[in-house]
Amino acid sequence: MAKRMTPEARRLEILAVARQTIAEQGIRALSIRELARRCGMSAPGLMHYFPDMQTLLAAVLDERDRTDSAAVFDQAGGKGLLALLDAGVDYYGSRAQESSNFDALEAEAQDPFHPAHAYFADRFDRMVEAIRPRVVDESGDPDDLFRVVRLILEGSRAQALRGMSIEERLADWHAVRRVLLAHLDN
């Protein structure tokens, strides 16, 4: 029998268990029925909070982006785009398995029929709007800079999905960092 919780506490528990499942086992291990079992509730009870997989995934991804962004922003300390990217590399590098599983989810979501497709379709634009105030004073056109960052991040994720080691990804990041630093110093 499910333990008594406030609706908000139950919702947060569902999101935490869903995130943990994806982080440890990947998206294929997640289903409404299995998530309900892990939360000690029925599938119809869970569907009271999240009526379908699309709604559930959007909420999990939104919560993950919110908490991860706060941690990365805090680690960067308001020092600009390069510090923010460094903090992101450190943060996600320390969560390699989780990052890999969420990157795989994002790759699968390229299919327009995937339940997380809509979430990922405009995710980068949402991230840019959150970051934009930190880089408006940095040299160059911020829109061009964001385009370059998007290409770098997408390429890095693709390499990770092909099995590139964390050490290789870090070496790539340091090369990219040197180029970005040269651009930002001009």
Side-chain angles (χ1 to χ4, degrees), residues 6-53:
T6 66
E8 184 57 23
R10 175 65 76 184
R11 183 179 184 285
L12 290 173
E13 177 196 40
I14 293 166
L15 293 176
V17 172
R19 178 179 176 166
Q20 181 180 3
T21 300
I22 296 168
E24 293 174 356
Q25 299 174 313
I27 186 64
R28 297 194 191 293
L30 186 67
S31 70
I32 297 287
R33 184 176 308 269
E34 177 59 19
L35 181 58
R37 185 192 68 72
R38 290 177 186 213
C39 291
M41 54 193 309
S42 68
L46 188 139
M47 292 176 75
H48 171 76
Y49 295 92
F50 302 101
D52 54 37
M53 188 58 80

Side-chain angles (χ1 to χ4, degrees), residues 58-113:
V60 169
L61 294 166
D62 191 52
E63 180 67 12
R64 179 178 184 252
D65 281 349
R66 187 187 66 71
T67 58
D68 288 3
S69 294
V72 170
F73 285 173
D74 185 55
Q75 187 174 335
K79 296 178 186 164
L81 181 61
L82 201 53
L84 191 60
L85 292 171
D86 282 338
V89 167
D90 289 344
Y91 182 82
Y92 290 110
S94 70
R95 294 159 175 75
Q97 181 64 43
E98 177 180 356
S99 294
S100 176
N101 285 337
F102 276 92
D103 287 349
L105 169 58
E106 184 172 359
E108 289 180 24
Q110 297 306 304
D111 177 352
F113 298 104

Side-chain angles (χ1 to χ4, degrees), residues 139-154:
S139 65
D141 179 352
D143 291 328
D144 282 350
L145 192 55
F146 288 130
R147 284 184 186 96
V148 170
V149 168
R150 172 183 234 154
L151 293 170
I152 291 166
L153 294 176
E154 288 178 357

